[in-house]
Amino acid sequence: MSETPSQISNLETAITDQLAAAQEQLDDLRQQLTESQRLATIGTIAAVIAHEFNNLLTPIVSYSQFALQSAQGESPDLELIKKALSKAFQSSSKAGKICQSMLGLARGECSVGVVPVQKIIDEVLLVMARDPQKDGVALRVQVQPDLMIHGDGVQLEQVLLNLLINARQAMLGRGGSLTIKASLNEAGDEVKLQVIDTGPGIPEKLQTKIFEPFFTTKGTARRGEPKGTGLGLSICKEIVERHNGRIEVASEVGKGTTFTIHFPAALAAAT
Ligand SMILES: Nc1ncnc2c1ncn2[C@@H]1O[C@H](COP(=O)(O)OP(=O)(O)O)[C@@H](O)[C@H]1O
Ligand SMILES: [Mg+2]
């Protein structure tokens, strides 16, 4: 038995109505998902800000202690006090900027511009808590001149800072070498930024896990060693991907670890 034209038309209307209802439900669900993702982001943001602050508070506390000790001593060393205060000032200014930038990241904002790679490296080395040499780590910096990335300078600095802190923690007590490399690929459209350490390496089965938020192997740290939050690399990944880049790890147990980030290269004129 075949349907009459009016039956077909009724059927069509019913299907269209059902489709519209399903679409509406889907839209609702999507909105709920977006909202819960936003809440989850805001939930993590507190932990992230605490983590990033902790990175910068360490030098602030130790430099202020230096300055205080010297000031209270028999013959205060004004040069040392000045240097310690200026280091503490640099770190606290950076902490303020990072706070704003992280809140921006939570809101999905990015204050973008063209950032010279050399500047990112210089700024990060400036706020590194301790001279790596003091821990028996030889620091090498190999940067091609005039490399530019399009993005948020403060966030890009956070990526490098987190990678350097991890590398330094990995080599704590054993020394080694830490290399920062930056170069342009042959096609001239990608900037490759690498942090290379000669630490203990990362077992292969953990290499996919390390970018997950809260994954850390530093939970049961020995006394005196830093505890982990497991947020550093997840922040790096989030920021790199927001900059249309990608981050990779190559590591061999007993030899060391290399983190490589590829960013689209920016032209100096394209602000
Ligand atoms: N350079 C490195 N060498 C060895 N292991 C590393 C290195 N960088 C990261 N890891 C591993 O990845 C884990 C996650 O790193 P991260 O997200 O920065 O969190 P956290 O440093 O707080 O543990 C670390 O706990 C460590 O096991
Ligand atoms: Mg870390």
Side-chain angles (χ1 to χ4, degrees):
M1 191 189 101
S2 63
E3 283 90 354
T4 64
S6 86
Q7 277 175 321
I8 291 177
S9 144
N10 283 345
L11 208 63
E12 265 177 8
T13 317
I15 290 174
T16 315
D17 285 352
Q18 273 180 12
L19 261 178
Q23 185 63 46
E24 211 169 299
Q25 265 185 338
L26 193 66
D27 287 346
D28 273 357
L29 282 174
R30 269 213 192 102
Q31 211 173 344
Q32 280 174 29
L33 183 68
T34 314
E35 183 60 13
S36 47
Q37 275 171 339
R38 204 178 64 83
L39 287 175
T41 314
I42 290 172
T44 334
I45 213 74
V48 169
I49 289 182
H51 172 267
E52 298 298 292
F53 258 56
N54 201 36
N55 284 345
L56 291 159
L57 277 178
T58 312
I60 296 175
V61 170
S62 51
Y63 280 115
S64 320
Q65 257 171 348
F66 269 150
L68 256 181
Q69 267 166 14
S70 181
Q72 288 165 342
E74 296 270 287
S75 48
D77 180 345
L78 273 188
E79 276 312 304
L80 178 94
I81 294 175
K82 251 193 250 169
K83 194 184 152 205
L85 284 179
S86 98
K87 284 270 185 189
F89 175 71
Q90 277 159 5
S91 282
S92 31
S93 315
K94 187 114 297 172
K97 282 189 196 161
I98 284 188
C99 190
Q100 280 182 342
S101 162
M102 289 314 294
L103 290 171
L105 194 67
R107 287 192 293 257
E109 300 166 1
C110 239
S111 77
V112 287
V114 168
V115 193
V117 174
Q118 186 69 56
K119 180 164 178 267
I120 299 171
I121 298 173
D122 291 345
E123 293 271 323
V124 170
L125 291 180
L126 215 59
V127 300
M128 282 282 278
R130 260 170 84 83
D131 184 351
Q133 241 94 15
K134 287 196 183 127
D135 298 315
V137 172
L139 178 70
R140 291 192 201 101
V141 182
Q142 299 165 2
V143 186
Q144 261 181 22
D146 304 326
L147 295 179
M148 304 281 179
I149 300 172
H150 195 251
D152 182 320
V154 176
Q155 288 176 14
L156 293 169
E157 284 168 25
Q158 269 176 275
V159 173
L160 184 63
L161 183 64
N162 276 308
L163 294 180
L164 292 182
I165 287 175
N166 278 345
R168 198 179 48 187
Q169 287 176 346
M171 292 189 286
L172 205 69
R174 47 184 278 159
S177 73
L178 174 54
T179 310
I180 305 170
K181 270 192 198 174
S183 59
L184 199 62
N185 67 346
E186 268 184 25
D189 57 359
E190 265 188 4
V191 170
K192 186 165 85 172
L193 180 64
Q194 289 183 303
V195 174
I196 306 162
D197 70 58
T198 58
I202 304 168
E204 205 179 328
K205 63 177 196 311
L206 297 188
Q207 287 176 20
T208 49
K209 293 210 172 133
I210 55 173
F211 294 101
E212 287 170 13
F214 304 109
F215 176 84
T216 180
T217 57
K218 297 170 192 166
T220 52
R222 277 178 280 143
R223 266 169 56 131
E225 281 186 4
K227 278 205 174 174
T229 58
L231 285 171
L233 287 176
S234 71
I235 299 169
C236 288
K237 189 163 186 281
E238 166 84 20
I239 294 177
V240 167
E241 285 173 0
R242 266 177 202 257
H243 285 79
N244 302 314
R246 55 184 203 281
I247 180 165
E248 292 156 3
V249 63
S251 186
E252 208 177 316
V253 172
K255 289 222 166 132
T257 304
T258 299
F259 282 94
T260 304
I261 309 175
H262 302 269
F263 286 113
L267 295 173
T271 15

